[in-house]
Amino acid sequence: MKLYSDRALARLLDKDVFRQISAVADELGVECYVVGGYVRDIFLERPSDDIDVVVVGSGIDVASALKRRFGRNAHLSVFRNFGTAQVKYKGMEIEFVGARKESYSHDSRKPVVENGTLEDDQNRRDFTINAMAICLNNSRFGQLVDPFNGLADLEDGIIATPLDPDVTFSDDPLRMMRCVRFATQLNFQIEEETFEGLERMADRIKIVSGERIAVELNKIMMAPHPSIGFEYLQRSGLLNLILPELAALDIVERRNGRAHKNNFYHTLEVLENVIKSEKQEAGLWLRWAALLHDVGKTRSKRWDNAQGWTFHNHNIIGAKMVPDIFRRLKLPMGAEMKYVQKLVDLHMRPIVIADEVVTDSAVRRLMNDAGADIGDLMTLCEADITSKNEVRKKIFLENFRVVREKLTDLAQRDWERELQPVIDGNEIMQMFRLGPCREVGELKRVMKEAVLDNRVPNEREPLMLLLKEKARQMGLSEPLTEAVQ
């Protein structure tokens, strides 16, 4: 991570937009600072067009004056109820707000807001790395204001709250999800006292809506290594409150000297395997399918004296659980949910096929049931092989390779069969009273190319018209139409 002096920060901010904000703030006689994520991302060297500006005074007045300076090239939105304004200019979104202090009631995330100082505003920030500010006024342009040593925490890779974590998380419990999300996205450690605050305040997450939780979960899910976040959620007790079905997998039972694996950590391994797969890009919903693929194991677990621990039909049970999970978290209940449900339901099928003789009929049934999602399903199933027995793992993966080859071969054959014209060479010979000859081959070629190029539907009537026209051009006799009735 690169460190910048105030002079270097001034050079970094020496852009038209910041100089214009500086001029407006000085004209109005107010202190003005760029804050939060934009400042953090300067030090992380991550590009950003979302700029948050705090004004010790009226943010709306500064935004309105900036809009007048920019003229027609800028768009101003004012939210007087919240005391905020937004200026959109050349692809940038600049949010203006007056410095404020906040107080909360126990049963709500909505604060009582009062005008405040820059110090008040920094005190209310969620984490030290988001509490840094850079002055935009001309006399102090580029000066970093970092009362909580956020820069040091950035350098050390630490997520910590600026004030007492119990107060920070109790005031706005969504900050607990943001804490885990930032640690996951940045691959940072959650500072010990802050993590203990997560544990103590976890129950407060109950006042946060499912939609807000889902937004943070999706951001965790799309991080390079989402397992970091889910492990933090589990250790802190948050996961048991938002996704108890997943949290319940974190158990190992032993009977008669035989234990089953920890299916929670197995799930995280599968999730990571899906992401690093070279065969399929792991989008959000494939990652959700990986996360939920074994949630049915807790309910299906049985002890059998002969077999040991069994999880029969856990895929079917898990698939039935998916709609309730999506509904509770306010995740989309349409095609996305059905896709996840399908993959959870089918994730054992390729394993069964690969464990036996790979027959055309079994692969064809799998193709039919999985449809267009067959590639994602195979990626999930290959990721599910986490055995520490390298010999067994190698056998399964080799069998999966055979299944994939069979899928490709059958798909090609089905495609070719589907695109074979419905009129064959024998019928052409009968229609035009021909024996095997070059003309028959030419008529077949013209007809097949027309079907492959999608110029003619693969149906008898339009193909007959095509053949008649081509035969006329070739000087052949009129066809016997009764031959193709």
Side-chain angles (χ1 to χ4, degrees), residues 21 32 51-55 58-64 66 76 82-87 94-98 136:
I21 295 171
C32 196
I51 302 168
D52 291 323
V53 175
V54 162
V55 178
S58 172
I60 293 175
D61 287 351
V62 175
S64 301
L66 185 67
L76 173 68
F82 300 97
T84 65
Q86 180 191 74
V87 176
I94 312 161
E95 299 278 350
F96 291 86
V97 63
L136 295 178

Side-chain angles (χ1 to χ4, degrees), residues 54-261:
V54 162
V55 178
V56 184
S58 172
I60 293 175
D61 287 351
V62 175
S64 301
L66 185 67
K67 165 65 173 78
R68 289 192 295 271
R69 275 180 168 261
F70 286 152
R72 293 182 179 179
N73 291 329
H75 175 76
L76 173 68
S77 300
V78 175
F79 310 96
R80 293 198 180 277
N81 288 345
F82 300 97
T84 65
Q86 180 191 74
V87 176
K88 291 185 178 179
Y89 178 68
K90 293 185 177 180
M92 294 179 289
E93 294 186 1
I94 312 161
E95 299 278 350
F96 291 86
V97 63
R100 59 193 186 182
K101 54 184 176 181
E102 299 174 342
S103 58
Y104 291 80
S105 62
H106 189 72
D107 59 350
S108 174
R109 290 182 54 241
K110 295 180 180 179
V112 176
V113 178
E114 304 173 65
N115 292 336
T117 63
L118 175 65
E119 182 183 4
D120 291 328
D121 202 89
Q122 289 178 300
N123 286 343
R124 71 179 184 83
R125 299 278 163 177
D126 50 8
F127 308 109
T128 60
I129 62 172
N130 294 334
M132 295 182 287
I134 301 174
C135 188
L136 295 178
N137 295 94
N138 188 57
S139 62
R140 297 166 53 214
F141 193 83
Q143 184 179 107
L144 177 66
V145 183
D146 183 17
F148 303 110
N149 296 314
L151 191 55
D153 285 347
L154 266 184
E155 195 173 6
D156 293 338
I158 289 174
I159 304 295
T161 57
L163 302 176
D164 182 344
D166 288 16
V167 175
T168 298
F169 295 144
S170 181
D171 281 351
D172 185 355
L174 185 62
R175 289 169 176 164
M176 294 188 285
M177 295 297 300
R178 285 168 56 82
C179 177
V180 173
R181 189 248 293 181
F182 280 121
T184 308
Q185 289 177 326
L186 300 174
N187 196 14
F188 279 16
Q189 296 289 317
I190 298 176
E191 181 257 347
E192 185 177 355
E193 187 177 344
T194 300
F195 183 77
E196 290 170 357
L198 286 179
E199 293 178 299
R200 288 190 295 269
M201 293 293 111
D203 202 56
R204 290 282 288 153
I205 200 68
K206 292 177 181 177
I207 72 167
V208 181
S209 69
E211 293 96 333
R212 291 301 188 102
I213 291 172
V215 167
E216 296 300 326
L217 281 176
N218 285 341
K219 289 178 179 178
I220 290 169
M221 194 76 86
M222 291 307 294
H225 297 287
S227 61
I228 294 170
F230 284 102
E231 187 171 354
Y232 271 131
L233 290 173
Q234 176 69 344
R235 287 173 48 212
S236 65
L238 283 164
L239 193 64
N240 191 51
L241 297 166
I242 59 179
L243 250 177
E245 300 89 345
L246 182 63
L249 296 176
D250 189 9
I251 188 173
V252 175
E253 285 194 66
R254 183 178 297 274
R255 187 177 295 187
N256 297 346
R258 300 172 73 176
H260 61 76
K261 64 187 172 187

Side-chain angles (χ1 to χ4, degrees), residues 395-430:
I395 291 171
F396 263 112
L397 292 177
E398 173 60 22
N399 285 354
F400 275 136
R401 187 189 62 77
V402 174
V403 172
R404 279 191 180 270
E405 286 182 355
K406 196 76 100 168
L407 285 167
T408 301
D409 178 57
L410 284 175
Q412 179 68 23
R413 278 193 274 155
D414 288 350
W415 179 79
E416 289 175 351
R417 183 170 57 251
E418 184 179 334
L419 292 181
Q420 285 296 328
V422 295
I423 300 173
D424 63 16
N426 290 329
E427 289 180 288
I428 291 173
M429 288 190 288
Q430 185 181 358

